[in-house]
Coordinates of all heavy atoms in Angstrom, one line a residue:
R118 N 8.0 10.9 -8.2 CA 7.0 10.5 -7.1 C 6.2 11.8 -6.6 O 5.8 11.8 -5.5 CB 7.7 9.9 -6.0 CG 8.2 8.5 -6.4 CD 8.6 7.6 -5.2 NE 9.9 8.1 -4.7 CZ 10.2 8.2 -3.4 NH1 9.2 8.1 -2.5 NH2 11.4 8.6 -3.0
V119 N 6.1 12.8 -7.6 CA 5.2 13.9 -7.3 C 4.2 14.0 -8.4 O 4.7 14.1 -9.6 CB 6.1 15.2 -7.2 CG1 5.1 16.4 -6.8 CG2 7.2 15.1 -6.1
I120 N 3.0 14.1 -8.1 CA 1.9 14.1 -9.2 C 1.1 15.4 -8.9 O 0.7 15.7 -7.8 CB 1.1 12.8 -9.1 CG1 1.9 11.6 -9.6 CG2 -0.2 12.9 -10.0 CD1 1.2 10.3 -9.6
N121 N 0.7 16.0 -10.0 CA -0.1 17.3 -9.9 C -1.3 17.2 -10.8 O -1.3 16.5 -11.8 CB 0.8 18.5 -10.4 CG 0.1 19.8 -10.3 OD1 -0.5 20.1 -9.3 ND2 0.2 20.6 -11.4
I122 N -2.3 18.0 -10.4 CA -3.5 18.2 -11.3 C -3.5 19.7 -11.8 O -3.2 20.6 -11.0 CB -4.8 17.9 -10.7 CG1 -6.0 18.0 -11.6 CG2 -5.1 18.7 -9.4 CD1 -6.8 16.8 -11.9
H123 N -3.8 19.8 -13.1 CA -3.8 21.2 -13.6 C -5.1 21.4 -14.4 O -5.4 20.5 -15.2 CB -2.6 21.4 -14.6 CG -2.6 22.8 -15.2 ND1 -2.3 23.9 -14.4 CD2 -2.9 23.3 -16.4 CE1 -2.5 25.0 -15.2 NE2 -2.8 24.6 -16.4
P124 N -5.8 22.5 -14.2 CA -7.1 22.6 -14.8 C -7.1 23.1 -16.3 O -7.8 24.1 -16.6 CB -7.8 23.7 -13.9 CG -6.7 24.5 -13.4 CD -5.5 23.6 -13.3
A125 N -6.3 22.6 -17.1 CA -6.3 22.8 -18.5 C -5.6 21.7 -19.3 O -5.0 20.8 -18.6 CB -5.5 24.1 -18.9
L126 N -5.8 21.7 -20.6 CA -5.3 20.6 -21.4 C -3.8 21.0 -21.7 O -3.5 21.7 -22.7 CB -6.0 20.4 -22.7 CG -7.4 19.7 -22.5 CD1 -8.1 19.7 -23.9 CD2 -7.2 18.3 -22.0
L127 N -2.8 20.6 -20.9 CA -1.4 20.9 -21.1 C -0.9 20.3 -22.4 O -1.5 19.3 -22.8 CB -0.6 20.4 -19.9 CG -0.8 21.1 -18.6 CD1 -0.1 20.4 -17.5 CD2 -0.5 22.5 -18.7
P128 N 0.0 20.9 -23.1 CA 0.8 22.1 -22.7 C 0.1 23.4 -22.9 O 0.8 24.4 -22.7 CB 2.0 22.0 -23.5 CG 1.5 21.4 -24.8 CD 0.5 20.4 -24.4
A129 N -1.2 23.4 -23.2 CA -1.9 24.7 -23.4 C -2.2 25.2 -22.0 O -2.6 24.5 -21.1 CB -3.1 24.6 -24.2
F130 N -2.1 26.5 -21.8 CA -2.6 27.2 -20.6 C -2.0 26.7 -19.3 O -2.8 26.3 -18.4 CB -4.1 27.2 -20.6 CG -4.7 27.7 -21.9 CD1 -5.4 26.8 -22.7 CD2 -4.6 29.0 -22.3 CE1 -5.8 27.2 -23.9 CE2 -5.1 29.4 -23.5 CZ -5.7 28.6 -24.4
P131 N -0.7 26.7 -19.2 CA -0.1 26.5 -17.8 C -0.3 27.7 -17.0 O -0.8 28.7 -17.4 CB 1.4 26.3 -18.2 CG 1.6 27.1 -19.4 CD 0.3 27.0 -20.2
G132 N 0.1 27.6 -15.7 CA 0.0 28.7 -14.9 C -1.3 28.7 -14.0 O -2.0 27.7 -14.0
T133 N -1.4 29.7 -13.2 CA -2.4 29.8 -12.1 C -3.8 29.8 -12.6 O -4.8 29.3 -11.9 CB -2.2 31.0 -11.3 OG1 -0.8 31.1 -11.0 CG2 -2.9 30.9 -9.9
H134 N -4.1 30.4 -13.8 CA -5.5 30.5 -14.2 C -5.8 29.7 -15.5 O -6.4 30.3 -16.5 CB -5.8 32.0 -14.4 CG -5.5 32.9 -13.2 ND1 -6.2 32.8 -12.1 CD2 -4.5 33.7 -13.1 CE1 -5.6 33.6 -11.2 NE2 -4.6 34.2 -11.7
G135 N -5.4 28.5 -15.5 CA -5.6 27.6 -16.7 C -7.0 27.7 -17.3 O -7.2 27.9 -18.5
Q136 N -8.0 27.5 -16.4 CA -9.4 27.5 -17.0 C -9.8 28.8 -17.6 O -10.4 28.9 -18.7 CB -10.4 27.1 -15.8 CG -10.1 26.1 -14.8 CD -9.4 26.7 -13.6 OE1 -8.6 27.6 -13.7 NE2 -9.8 26.1 -12.5
G137 N -9.6 29.9 -16.8 CA -10.0 31.2 -17.3 C -9.2 31.6 -18.6 O -9.8 32.2 -19.5
D138 N -7.9 31.3 -18.6 CA -7.1 31.6 -19.8 C -7.7 30.8 -21.0 O -7.7 31.5 -22.1 CB -5.6 31.2 -19.6 CG -5.0 32.1 -18.5 OD1 -5.6 33.2 -18.1 OD2 -3.9 31.8 -18.0
A139 N -8.0 29.6 -20.8 CA -8.6 28.9 -21.9 C -9.9 29.4 -22.4 O -10.2 29.6 -23.6 CB -8.8 27.4 -21.5
F140 N -10.7 29.8 -21.4 CA -12.0 30.5 -21.7 C -11.9 31.7 -22.5 O -12.5 31.9 -23.6 CB -12.8 30.7 -20.5 CG -14.2 31.3 -20.7 CD1 -15.2 30.5 -21.1 CD2 -14.4 32.7 -20.6 CE1 -16.5 31.1 -21.4 CE2 -15.6 33.2 -20.9 CZ -16.7 32.5 -21.3
D141 N -11.0 32.6 -22.0 CA -10.8 33.9 -22.7 C -10.2 33.7 -24.1 O -10.4 34.5 -25.0 CB -9.8 34.7 -21.9 CG -10.4 35.2 -20.6 OD1 -11.6 35.1 -20.4 OD2 -9.7 35.6 -19.7
Y142 N -9.4 32.7 -24.3 CA -8.8 32.4 -25.6 C -9.8 32.0 -26.6 O -9.6 32.2 -27.8 CB -7.7 31.4 -25.4 CG -6.8 31.1 -26.6 CD1 -5.7 31.9 -26.8 CD2 -7.2 30.3 -27.7 CE1 -4.9 31.8 -27.9 CE2 -6.4 30.2 -28.8 CZ -5.2 30.9 -28.9 OH -4.4 30.8 -30.0
G143 N -10.9 31.4 -26.1 CA -12.0 31.0 -27.0 C -11.9 29.5 -27.4 O -12.4 29.2 -28.5
V144 N -11.2 28.7 -26.6 CA -11.1 27.3 -27.1 C -12.5 26.7 -27.1 O -13.4 27.1 -26.4 CB -10.1 26.5 -26.2 CG1 -8.7 27.1 -26.1 CG2 -10.7 26.4 -24.7
K145 N -12.6 25.7 -27.9 CA -13.9 24.9 -27.9 C -13.8 23.7 -26.9 O -14.8 23.2 -26.5 CB -14.2 24.4 -29.3 CG -14.3 25.5 -30.4 CD -15.6 26.2 -30.1 CE -15.9 27.2 -31.3 NZ -17.1 28.0 -31.0
L146 N -12.5 23.2 -26.8 CA -12.3 22.1 -25.9 C -11.4 22.6 -24.8 O -10.2 22.9 -25.1 CB -11.7 20.9 -26.5 CG -12.7 19.9 -27.3 CD1 -11.9 18.8 -28.0 CD2 -13.7 19.3 -26.3
A147 N -11.8 22.6 -23.6 CA -11.0 22.9 -22.4 C -10.7 21.5 -21.7 O -11.0 20.5 -22.3 CB -11.7 23.9 -21.5
G148 N -10.3 21.6 -20.4 CA -10.0 20.2 -19.8 C -9.1 20.3 -18.7 O -8.9 21.4 -18.1
C149 N -8.6 19.2 -18.2 CA -7.7 19.1 -17.2 C -6.7 18.0 -17.4 O -6.9 17.1 -18.2 CB -8.4 19.0 -15.8 SG -9.7 17.7 -15.8
T150 N -5.6 18.0 -16.6 CA -4.4 17.1 -16.9 C -3.9 16.7 -15.6 O -3.6 17.5 -14.7 CB -3.3 17.9 -17.7 OG1 -3.8 18.4 -18.8 CG2 -2.1 17.0 -17.9
V151 N -3.7 15.3 -15.4 CA -2.9 14.8 -14.2 C -1.5 14.4 -14.8 O -1.4 13.7 -15.8 CB -3.6 13.6 -13.6 CG1 -2.7 13.2 -12.4 CG2 -5.0 13.9 -13.2
H152 N -0.5 14.9 -14.2 CA 0.9 14.7 -14.7 C 1.9 14.6 -13.6 O 1.7 15.1 -12.4 CB 1.3 15.9 -15.6 CG 1.4 17.2 -15.0 ND1 2.6 17.7 -14.5 CD2 0.5 18.1 -14.6 CE1 2.4 18.9 -13.9 NE2 1.2 19.2 -14.0
F153 N 3.0 13.9 -13.9 CA 4.1 13.9 -13.0 C 4.8 15.3 -13.0 O 4.7 16.0 -14.0 CB 5.2 12.8 -13.5 CG 4.8 11.4 -13.2 CD1 4.3 10.6 -14.1 CD2 5.0 10.9 -11.9 CE1 3.9 9.3 -13.9 CE2 4.5 9.7 -11.6 CZ 4.1 8.8 -12.6
V154 N 5.4 15.6 -11.9 CA 6.0 16.9 -11.8 C 7.5 16.9 -12.1 O 8.1 16.0 -11.5 CB 5.7 17.5 -10.3 CG1 6.4 18.8 -10.1 CG2 4.2 17.7 -10.1
D155 N 7.9 17.8 -12.9 CA 9.4 17.9 -13.1 C 9.7 19.4 -12.8 O 8.9 20.1 -12.2 CB 9.8 17.4 -14.5 CG 9.3 18.3 -15.6 OD1 8.7 19.4 -15.3 OD2 9.4 18.0 -16.8
E156 N 10.9 19.7 -13.2 CA 11.4 21.0 -12.7 C 10.8 22.3 -13.4 O 10.9 23.4 -13.0 CB 13.0 21.0 -12.8 CG 13.5 20.1 -11.8 CD 15.0 20.0 -11.8 OE1 15.7 20.9 -12.4 OE2 15.6 19.1 -11.2
K157 N 10.1 22.0 -14.5 CA 9.4 23.1 -15.1 C 7.9 23.1 -14.7 O 7.3 22.0 -14.6 CB 9.5 23.1 -16.6 CG 10.9 23.2 -17.2 CD 10.8 23.3 -18.7 CE 12.2 23.0 -19.3 NZ 12.1 22.6 -20.7
V158 N 7.3 24.2 -14.6 CA 6.0 24.4 -14.1 C 5.0 23.8 -15.1 O 5.1 24.1 -16.3 CB 5.6 25.9 -13.8 CG1 4.2 26.0 -13.4 CG2 6.5 26.4 -12.7
D159 N 4.1 22.9 -14.6 CA 3.0 22.3 -15.4 C 3.5 21.7 -16.6 O 3.0 21.9 -17.8 CB 1.9 23.4 -15.8 CG 1.3 24.0 -14.6 OD1 1.2 23.3 -13.5 OD2 0.9 25.2 -14.5
H160 N 4.6 20.9 -16.5 CA 5.3 20.4 -17.7 C 5.6 18.9 -17.7 O 5.7 18.3 -18.8 CB 6.7 21.2 -17.7 CG 7.6 20.7 -18.8 ND1 8.5 19.7 -18.5 CD2 7.8 21.0 -20.1 CE1 9.2 19.4 -19.6 NE2 8.8 20.2 -20.6
G161 N 5.6 18.2 -16.6 CA 6.0 16.8 -16.6 C 5.2 15.8 -17.4 O 4.1 16.3 -17.8

Side-chain angles (χ1 to χ4, degrees):
R118 289 190 287 131
V119 184
I120 293 179
N121 182 46
I122 182 120
H123 180 73
L126 284 175
L127 293 174
F130 309 111
T133 316
H134 306 290
Q136 318 94 316
D138 292 345
F140 181 81
D141 291 346
Y142 190 89
V144 301
K145 299 289 185 185
L146 278 177
C149 48
T150 303
V151 183
H152 65 96
F153 284 101
V154 173
D155 67 9
E156 290 178 16
K157 293 189 198 156
V158 174
D159 298 331
H160 173 269

